[in-house]
Amino acid sequence: MARVFVYGTLKQGQPNYKHMINTAKGLAKFQGRGRTVEKYPLVIAGKYNIPYMLNIPGTGHHVAGEIYSVDDQMLQFLDEFEGCPDMYQRTLMSIEVVEWEGKGGAGEARAAAEGVMECFVYSTTTYPPEWVGLPYHDSYDSSGKHGLSYVLRESR
């Protein structure tokens, strides 16, 4: 099992969460909530209002999201879903545990208790330069006060 940190449309209550609970795509088990240890710009961009974490460490905010344990099948699905490696790149990042529900082995419990764990995160280094000038968010909600509703793939 791998740990994945999601901060956008794959979170609970967001438009693509349905994929995280679709066992035909693999297994994803919610473990808890966290935020990036380093600051990153989280922007909503493009004509479909997609959330992107720009891989510019030290700029922006500590981005909030959810931590999941996923099997290889789900990780492969997420790679395809996120357009990895062209649109997003899957990299390891340090995530501060804010709230932990996971029931893992001793090593995982120790990592959660220490407050920081390494998780795969889909961020991007391939973006138009003007995106750096967009507003930065610390948390994503598709129906947030930003007014930029996410456009589902089926509706594009």
Side-chain angles (χ1 to χ4, degrees), residues 70-103:
V70 301
D71 66 6
D72 289 342
Q73 183 184 348
M74 179 59 79
L75 194 60
Q76 184 176 347
F77 165 78
L78 290 171
D79 279 355
E80 291 168 20
F81 182 80
E82 300 290 11
C84 186
D86 301 323
M87 189 160 134
Y88 292 92
Q89 296 79 49
R90 175 167 45 96
T91 56
L92 278 173
M93 288 186 187
S94 295
I95 303 298
E96 176 189 354
V97 177
V98 174
E99 183 184 308
W100 188 253
E101 293 182 11
K103 297 167 183 64

Side-chain angles (χ1 to χ4, degrees), residues 9-10 15-16 18-19 44-52 80-83 87-88 140 142 148-156:
T9 65
L10 291 167
N16 289 316
K18 61 189 177 213
H19 299 302
I44 301 170
K47 62 181 176 181
Y48 304 120
N49 297 324
I50 297 171
Y52 293 92
E80 291 168 20
F81 182 80
E82 300 290 11
M87 189 160 134
Y88 292 92
Y140 175 79
S142 64
L148 302 169
S149 295
Y150 174 78
V151 179
L152 286 168
R153 289 179 187 200
E154 306 87 80
S155 304
R156 295 179 194 169

Side-chain angles (χ1 to χ4, degrees), residues 83-153:
C84 186
D86 301 323
M87 189 160 134
Y88 292 92
Q89 296 79 49
R90 175 167 45 96
T91 56
L92 278 173
M93 288 186 187
S94 295
I95 303 298
E96 176 189 354
V97 177
V98 174
E99 183 184 308
W100 188 253
E101 293 182 11
K103 297 167 183 64
E108 197 161 274
R110 189 166 45 256
E114 289 169 6
V116 174
M117 56 178 49
E118 296 295 301
C119 297
F120 284 121
V121 180
Y122 292 92
S123 64
T124 187
T125 56
T126 53
Y127 53 86
E130 60 270 18
W131 286 10
V132 176
L134 293 171
Y136 297 164
H137 304 272
D138 60 357
S139 181
Y140 175 79
D141 183 340
S142 64
S143 57
K145 61 181 182 250
H146 49 70
L148 302 169
S149 295
Y150 174 78
V151 179
L152 286 168
R153 289 179 187 200

Side-chain angles (χ1 to χ4, degrees), residues 36 38-42 56-63 136-138:
T36 58
E38 286 201 73
K39 293 179 177 181
Y40 290 91
L42 171 59
I56 310 172
T59 301
H61 301 287
H62 300 283
V63 176
Y136 297 164
H137 304 272
D138 60 357

